[in-house]
Amino acid sequence: MKPDKIKKIIEERVVGKIKSDHTPEGHAYLLTSGTRVASVTTKLGACISKPHLIPWALRLAIEYLDPLYINGLITPENKISHHKIASTRYTAERDAAGFWGHSAHSFIEQYLTAEINGTEKPTIPGNNPPVCAAIRSFLKFMAENNIVPIASELLVGSEKLRCAGTLDFICLMDGKLTLIDFKTSNAPDTSGRYSMQLIAYKKMFEEMTGLRIKQGKILMLSKKDDNFSIWDVKDTSNTLCAFKSVSKLYDWLNNGQEKISNKKDKIIL
């Protein structure tokens, strides 16, 4: 199918159909029926742990405390305050990484929108090395692959899955309709979160458009240089089943109903 035909279907069946309804508690969306549902990332974040974060946080704490202990700078008076700083050091690193990722995603969205609409592309910001590296990684990916941009930052949702979200990029890659999710995290996808996220987006997009995504890819962008890596998402049926289970678990945990009770029913003789 030609790109213009695909764009027309997306414009008619997807654009404007799902509405954002975010709160401080998490990302949520309104489906076309008016049903309010949590986002794909909210459900995954609540139900799937990130085991790699624990040793990462410990490493940051040790890196802070080691020089202080080695040089005899820890005293009974300042020990508690230094330990508190060490135990919360990961939050600053996490927030910085989140900012870098958001900034890179924002540039990529502007770039793809300009590419799709044929307007002037944004210039690379020069004041943040990690952001610039991620952007250069993306531009290198675009230059080295046969890519025809179709749509970017689409809001999709599903009554069946009871969730919604914003997919990063739909394109023709080597002539195949492709869904690409951008990641700036250095962490490997050992939990399957990335795979489930992409497959959920794929399912929702296909339900709304009637189009079939031929391939799903996760594009890992470096925050150190202009390198990138591409990961194919396989075993889509089992991955979708896994996400459905996560979605149902999240809904059960957050349905507002009591899960246990210490009330004893009266026995009527």
Side-chain angles (χ1 to χ4, degrees), residues 185-222:
S185 171
N186 295 324
D189 182 26
T190 56
S191 67
R193 288 162 57 101
Y194 293 171
S195 302
M196 283 190 279
Q197 180 183 357
L198 187 139
I199 291 303
Y201 290 159
K202 174 181 181 291
K203 179 65 173 177
M204 293 187 287
F205 177 84
E206 291 179 339
E207 283 183 5
M208 295 181 74
T209 63
L211 300 171
R212 185 184 175 193
I213 298 291
K214 299 293 186 179
Q215 51 188 359
K217 296 182 180 291
I218 296 169
L219 177 61
M220 302 293 292
L221 304 173
S222 173

Side-chain angles (χ1 to χ4, degrees), residues 5-107:
K5 178 62 174 178
I6 299 173
K7 291 178 183 179
K8 184 178 180 181
I9 292 174
I10 292 173
E11 182 68 30
E12 292 174 349
R13 303 180 187 179
V14 180
V15 176
K17 303 300 182 183
I18 309 297
K19 306 293 184 183
S20 298
D21 192 31
H22 303 330
T23 68
E25 287 71 38
H27 284 186
Y29 297 87
L30 295 176
L31 303 180
T32 53
S33 64
T35 303
R36 188 175 188 272
V37 295
S39 71
V40 172
T41 52
T42 294
K43 289 191 171 186
L44 289 172
C47 298
I48 305 295
S49 65
K50 296 181 179 180
H52 65 278
L53 292 183
I54 296 175
W56 171 71
L58 287 173
R59 177 176 60 80
L60 291 178
I62 292 170
E63 287 176 354
Y64 174 82
L65 290 173
D66 259 0
L68 297 177
Y69 274 108
I70 291 172
N71 293 291
L73 299 177
I74 298 292
T75 66
E77 291 77 20
N78 66 23
K79 182 177 180 180
I80 293 178
S81 62
H82 279 302
H83 280 198
K84 184 176 181 180
I85 292 172
S87 67
T88 58
R89 189 169 175 233
Y90 75 95
T91 60
E93 295 278 344
R94 179 199 61 197
D95 292 346
F99 171 77
W100 296 335
H102 176 77
S103 299
H105 269 73
S106 179
F107 175 91

Side-chain angles (χ1 to χ4, degrees), residues 75-149:
T75 66
E77 291 77 20
N78 66 23
K79 182 177 180 180
I80 293 178
S81 62
H82 279 302
H83 280 198
K84 184 176 181 180
I85 292 172
S87 67
T88 58
R89 189 169 175 233
Y90 75 95
T91 60
E93 295 278 344
R94 179 199 61 197
D95 292 346
F99 171 77
W100 296 335
H102 176 77
S103 299
H105 269 73
S106 179
F107 175 91
I108 292 171
E109 178 186 358
Q110 294 174 46
Y111 178 94
L112 291 174
T113 299
E115 181 78 13
I116 293 167
N117 297 332
T119 56
E120 184 178 356
K121 296 182 180 66
T123 57
I124 300 177
N127 57 350
N128 193 310
V131 175
C132 293
I135 291 172
R136 289 196 304 271
S137 299
F138 163 75
L139 295 176
K140 184 178 180 182
F141 160 77
M142 292 292 288
E144 293 183 357
N145 290 276
N146 181 21
I147 303 292
V148 178

